[in-house]
Amino acid sequence: MAYNITLISGDGIGPEVAEATTRVLEATGVSFHWELAYAGSDAIERSGTPLPDPVLESIRKNKVALKGPVTTPIGSGFRSVNVALRKELALYACLRPCKIYLGAPTQFKDVDIVVVRENTEDLYSGIEFERGTSEADKLIKLLAEKGAVVTEDSGFSLKVISEDGSRRIVKFAFDYARAHNRKRVTAVHKANILKFSDGLFLAVAREVAREYPDIEFGDIIVDNLCMQLARMPQQFDVLVLPNLYGDIVSDLCAGLVGGLGLAPGANIGVETAVFEPTHGSAPKYTGQNKTNPMAMMLSGVLMLRHLDETKAADRLEKAIAEVIAKGENVTYDMKPGSAQIVGTSQVADAVIEKLEASNKN
Ligand code: NAD
């Protein structure tokens, strides 16, 4: 039986890394029927909107999607397709494992951190008031009534954190830790300053932690976390964070394990799941067969695990790890300064060769 999967290749480098990924997934022997869907600038050209309804309908029907990166214009233009997709499908948990594979370009050793990012609230709630608009003026007047002085040239983006939203993401982190034999969950916050948003997140995290006496719990202020990650990342296991810190810290952790080319991700909701790399569309490399497809391939590994195709997931992860360890068929980001590098599609060929070799053993 073939799995019906919605495939959003995305834009920029998306189509290249997506093509490499579908090839290696098919080489595991698991059958897929890819239902193509278009989002972002691709979709605007085709149907005038960045997130057409058929994309959401396809994911709701198939329950699982594999997605490449989608460009979001900065400052103006359409709002983020990624943020909209996560909200529309209630993909509340973003899972970003960051682990060092032997041979990866990093000075660190033994890093194996799982970042669990809340995916729908916080500063990504989309509640914004533009400087100089009547809505912004109304808010400034309301704040003045409460005794807060805000100058007229201010714009606003609201940070919204709820008790329920905090509870479900912290529970997700603990359930993940339990299911994957992880020892410790650390809640990340800035509750010393943001008392009613991060303070609520932390209070709920402490409450939830009491339901999981088998898992150690700790909390840390986000700026201290960044310093500790740069100094001694091995001390961390599972991190659970509100949306914005999760976004930033997952890129930091990607840097620790060898860069964005090695950082996979999954967006998980109750009904549906969308698997995509942490990286963006890297527009300057579009169409050059240059960038690393391994982050998207490793997102494919997460997808196989989600589908309970554990053997295929293990084999694909092992094949990718072997290609990294050998270091002959890797992209520019894996061997900085070296001329001995290959392109996106050659990485897929090398991974497939390893998979075929493992079939014969
Ligand atoms: P980016 O992740 O696209 O790229 C930053 C840099 O990281 C690149 O210039 C490149 O040097 C490196 N890089 C990224 N992916 C790589 C890969 N697979 N192999 C090797 N090197 C890689 O970040 P950006 O430039 O800040 O964002 C570009 C666009 O992507 C923006 O429009 C942004 O909104 C969007 N974005 C989309 C997603 C998503 O679709 N989930 C995520 C992040 C950013």
Side-chain angles (χ1 to χ4, degrees):
M1 186 206 75
Y3 290 100
N4 289 321
I5 309 284
T6 302
L7 176 64
I8 304 167
S9 293
D11 52 39
I13 61 167
E16 298 163 63
V17 293
E19 200 260 348
T21 300
T22 51
R23 280 209 288 136
V24 299
L25 282 168
E26 283 164 9
T28 63
V30 176
S31 298
F32 298 98
H33 170 251
W34 305 110
E35 195 168 290
L36 304 186
Y38 300 92
S41 51
D42 254 15
I44 291 187
E45 274 164 37
R46 285 164 188 266
S47 50
T49 163
L51 187 58
D53 285 342
V55 178
L56 297 169
E57 283 158 20
S58 170
I59 301 174
R60 285 196 182 104
K61 174 169 61 82
N62 295 327
K63 314 271 184 233
V64 177
L66 182 66
K67 177 181 164 298
V70 172
T71 306
T72 304
I74 293 178
S76 58
F78 61 83
R79 281 188 177 272
S80 168
V81 166
N82 300 307
V83 173
L85 199 61
R86 291 165 197 163
K87 282 194 131 196
E88 284 289 333
L89 298 171
L91 301 168
Y92 67 92
C94 178
L95 188 65
R96 290 179 166 172
C98 294
K99 119 172 161 190
I100 293 182
Y101 291 96
L102 184 70
T106 171
Q107 73 208 58
F108 293 104
K109 273 193 182 145
D110 303 326
V111 176
D112 186 2
I113 296 171
V114 176
V115 176
V116 177
R117 165 187 173 191
E118 201 291 323
N119 227 3
T120 57
E121 301 196 321
D122 194 3
L123 279 158
Y124 292 69
S125 57
I127 307 170
E128 298 195 288
F129 301 95
E130 191 177 356
R131 173 186 57 101
T133 59
S134 62
E135 283 79 13
D137 288 347
K138 270 189 223 160
L139 186 56
I140 289 167
K141 286 193 183 102
L142 184 71
L143 290 169
E145 282 168 25
K146 310 264 173 215
V149 180
V150 179
T151 58
E152 279 174 8
D153 58 351
S154 304
F156 302 83
S157 304
L158 290 196
K159 179 172 169 100
V160 181
I161 289 194
S162 72
E163 183 177 342
D164 279 358
S166 301
R167 193 175 306 282
R168 70 179 178 177
I169 194 65
V170 177
K171 269 183 165 295
F172 181 96
F174 274 99
D175 287 338
Y176 180 92
R178 210 174 243 176
H180 294 84
N181 293 318
R182 296 277 177 163
K183 294 197 165 40
R184 185 174 173 82
V185 171
T186 305
V188 183
H189 59 88
K190 187 83 185 170
N192 49 335
I193 308 295
L194 306 169
K195 299 200 185 294
F196 301 136
S197 48
D198 285 19
L200 178 60
F201 178 81
L202 177 59
V204 171
R206 285 181 171 149
E207 224 178 277
V208 172
R210 285 196 280 276
E211 295 166 29
Y212 297 82
D214 49 320
I215 312 277
E216 285 174 41
F217 174 71
D219 73 272
I220 188 166
I221 293 176
V222 64
D223 34 351
N224 183 19
L225 172 78
C226 292
M227 190 277 288
Q228 300 280 350
L229 282 170
R231 298 276 299 161
M232 213 182 34
Q234 300 81 359
Q235 63 185 297
F236 295 104
D237 189 351
V238 176
L239 300 175
V240 60
L241 315 88
N243 208 337
L244 180 64
Y245 309 145
D247 190 4
I248 297 167
V249 167
S250 48
D251 269 42
L252 198 171
C253 290
L256 299 174
V257 301
L260 283 169
L262 288 171
N267 301 293
I268 298 172
V270 177
E271 299 285 333
T272 52
V274 177
F275 297 84
E276 62 174 343
T278 296
H279 66 72
S281 57
K284 67 181 175 191
Y285 293 129
T286 302
Q288 293 180 27
N289 188 37
K290 184 175 167 90
T291 49
N292 194 346
M294 285 174 169
M296 187 146 177
M297 289 178 180
L298 290 166
S299 308
V301 170
L302 295 177
M303 185 182 85
L304 287 170
R305 295 202 192 288
H306 179 81
L307 296 169
D308 280 333
E309 293 287 352
T310 310
K311 274 194 188 145
D314 289 345
R315 284 179 54 235
L316 179 54
E317 187 174 10
K318 185 163 169 277
I320 296 167
E322 284 171 3
V323 172
I324 298 171
K326 206 158 183 212
E328 282 174 2
N329 292 293
V330 293
T331 45
Y332 79 99
D333 53 311
M334 301 287 283
K335 282 207 261 179
S338 169
Q340 309 296 311
I341 50 170
V342 301
T344 312
S345 65
Q346 287 71 37
V347 174
D349 296 340
V351 171
I352 291 169
E353 207 173 289
K354 294 285 180 201
L355 278 170
E356 284 169 355
S358 79
N359 277 345
K360 288 182 195 136
N361 294 334

